[in-house]
Amino acid sequence: MTDLSSSIRNLLATIADFLDVPDPALDRADESAHRFLVDERVLLVRGVIEDILVGKATLGLDWEADYLRRRAAERPVTYRTLAQVVDAAQVSAASALVAEPVTRSACEACGSPRGPLAPDPSGARYTSGEPVLACATGCSAGTGGPEAGE
């Protein structure tokens, strides 16, 4: 439709945004807060529409749209949303998959806990980012240790 004025388009877009509130988390308190907010916003929209229809909107349609925006800013979403809960669950699941770095206290090649240990001269690292350790003074086991990326 191209025959709508910019003021009407502005008001309709504002009403659509005003009534578009996120779904609540699956908790009674969040659902209750969501229902209260939706009910409050529907009553405000009905009041604006009624004022327009009976001629009480003397300040114009753009003022009515601004009024709804101000009310939305005064009373924002304060409950936990379903998206927040899902995001938190995904972060929790992802962090559970990340292995804690394993502290290595022995040479990877010979297993000796003696002598100073240093990062393997090849620069090999485990997937955790920790360096592969080897005897700093050399060892007799040769290259029989685990591969980097274990």
Side-chain angles (χ1 to χ4, degrees):
M1 275 182 127
T2 57
D3 57 343
L4 294 177
S5 73
S6 64
S7 294
I8 292 174
R9 286 181 184 279
N10 177 35
L11 179 61
L12 291 175
T14 301
I15 289 171
D17 287 343
F18 190 68
L19 294 176
D20 185 25
V21 295
D23 293 330
L26 302 175
D27 176 86
R28 279 188 198 264
D30 296 322
E31 289 174 348
S32 178
H34 172 265
R35 182 80 258 150
F36 182 79
L37 182 63
V38 168
D39 289 348
E40 180 180 85
R41 288 186 177 195
V42 166
L43 286 174
L44 287 168
V45 168
R46 288 181 69 187
V48 165
I49 291 171
E50 185 177 324
D51 285 351
I52 292 168
L53 293 175
V54 298
K56 290 183 181 177
T58 58
L59 297 174
L61 298 179
D62 289 327
W63 187 92
E64 297 293 337
D66 287 340
Y67 169 75
L68 291 176
R69 284 191 208 98
R70 285 192 309 273
R71 292 302 303 256
E74 291 169 3
R75 182 105 160 70
V77 172
T78 56
Y79 55 85
R80 287 179 316 137
T81 67
L82 186 57
Q84 290 170 331
V85 172
V86 168
D87 288 346
Q90 288 173 345
V91 167
S92 177
S95 64
L97 295 176
V98 176
E100 291 294 320
V102 177
T103 305
R104 311 247 188 239
S105 59
C107 173
E108 293 297 335
C110 70
S112 172
R114 292 193 205 135
L117 296 175
D120 189 298
S122 71
R125 293 190 170 273
Y126 293 97
T127 54
S128 67
E130 295 292 314
V132 172
L133 299 179
C135 295
T137 57
C139 69
S140 60
T143 59
E147 298 289 324
E150 175 182 77

